[in-house]
Amino acid sequence: ANKTMWYCLTLAEKTGTKLSDSSATNYTFNDVYWNQQRIVFQADGITADYAVDKSGTIDRSISGLVKVYLYAGGVAGGQAPQGYTATIPNATTIFPNWGASHTMQDLVFAIVSVDYNREKNVTGIGNMLFEVTSDMKKPGDVLYDYLKSNVYGAGIPVDEINTASIAAMNAYSAETVAYNDEGTGAQTLPNRYQINGLIDTDEDVLKNAEQIASAAATWISYDTHEGTWGVIVNKAETSVASFSDDNILGN
């Protein structure tokens, strides 16, 4: 009836498999926001019931008028928001004019339909924000994925990456850390380091790789003899050699 508007919002590239366990990256859609208000969905996990702002004020203007379909990895990767158990249909069956050639491969995206209603001031898509998390958190997994990706990363062949050094980075980052909190006493961090931030893919790839490594107290290194990229973890080690007048020849 010329009143429904459809939008496809691409949110991110889907990252690859994790070095630590060879599993695919899993994504969770935590919350969806419409004009700075969190959407609460109906039982189907798709149709907006109402929106609520930070103060708890409820706005029902979008109720039944806005539908949000969430996908992680392609048109068949439909996911309900956290807290809902709905089944999300293949995107090609709902988005107008999409067919077999519209795969959205390895993309995290949302499809939004909006029913025009001037009385409720719903005349187009609002300012939409999405809180999305992934389970790729181990620093070595993140760095390895970035180094080898030829889409958003450095595009380094796998056989030119020292995976043993990156596995050691994962192991060191996964160690627990004991500390003393002034208010509560002895505490233990479950992990020394995790990666949970964003990088700017407009930046130089080496700069981004160095930032990922630096976040886990690690340096990027290149072995000219082996021809491989790897890392050096900045941590205490056992001395393997020392220099003195007994083993230094000449001035």
Side-chain angles (χ1 to χ4, degrees):
N2 250 5
K3 72 172 186 177
T4 302
M5 297 161 281
W6 288 88
Y7 304 86
C8 177
L9 308 177
T10 304
L11 308 177
E13 294 276 0
K14 187 176 185 294
T15 51
T17 56
K18 298 186 282 289
L19 175 67
S20 57
D21 59 10
S22 300
S23 66
T25 305
N26 296 306
Y27 286 81
T28 302
F29 291 89
N30 300 307
D31 285 308
V32 181
Y33 294 83
W34 175 279
N35 294 333
Q36 309 300 319
Q37 298 176 314
R38 180 173 59 86
I39 296 177
V40 176
F41 294 94
Q42 297 178 11
D44 63 2
I46 297 170
T47 308
D49 193 12
Y50 60 87
V52 57
D53 64 17
K54 292 181 180 179
S55 66
T57 302
I58 292 176
D59 178 3
R60 297 190 181 276
S61 61
I62 64 172
S63 180
L65 300 177
V66 175
K67 294 183 179 181
V68 183
Y69 304 83
L70 305 171
Y71 298 85
V75 291
Q79 289 187 208
Q82 189 176 35
Y84 298 86
T85 56
T87 299
I88 311 301
N90 188 301
T92 59
T93 66
I94 59 173
F95 199 79
N97 302 317
W98 271 17
S101 63
H102 298 86
T103 64
M104 298 295 282
Q105 182 177 350
D106 293 333
L107 294 176
V108 179
F109 66 99
I111 288 177
V112 182
S113 72
V114 181
D115 286 342
Y116 183 94
N117 189 311
R118 181 170 292 280
E119 180 182 341
K120 295 184 178 181
N121 199 31
V122 180
T123 58
I125 194 169
N127 176 27
M128 298 200 68
L129 298 173
F130 299 81
E131 183 189 355
V132 186
T133 56
S134 86
D135 63 357
M136 183 180 282
K137 299 178 181 179
K138 295 181 178 181
D141 288 351
V142 174
L143 181 61
Y144 177 72
D145 180 71
Y146 185 74
L147 289 178
K148 70 183 180 67
S149 173
N150 57 12
V151 176
Y152 50 79
I156 299 174
V158 173
D159 59 1
E160 294 179 15
I161 300 176
N162 184 338
T163 55
S165 69
I166 295 180
M169 177 184 180
N170 267 344
Y172 183 66
S173 299
E175 292 179 358
T176 58
V177 179
Y179 69 99
N180 187 63
D181 184 273
E182 186 176 349
T184 57
Q187 301 290 325
T188 302
L189 288 176
N191 302 102
R192 187 183 299 275
Y193 301 113
Q194 282 189 350
I195 299 291
N196 64 350
L198 301 174
I199 58 172
D200 182 358
T201 52
D202 283 336
E203 292 286 353
D204 179 84
V205 290
L206 182 57
K207 179 180 178 181
N208 280 340
E210 288 175 338
Q211 287 186 330
I212 294 171
S214 178
T218 303
W219 298 298
I220 299 287
S221 67
Y222 182 73
D223 188 324
T224 56
H225 179 70
E226 298 293 337
T228 57
W229 292 89
V231 296
I232 298 173
V233 181
N234 183 17
K235 64 175 182 175
E237 292 282 12
T238 302
S239 175
V240 296
S242 60
F243 297 99
S244 68
D245 288 341
D246 294 332
N247 56 17
I248 298 177
L249 301 179
N251 292 331

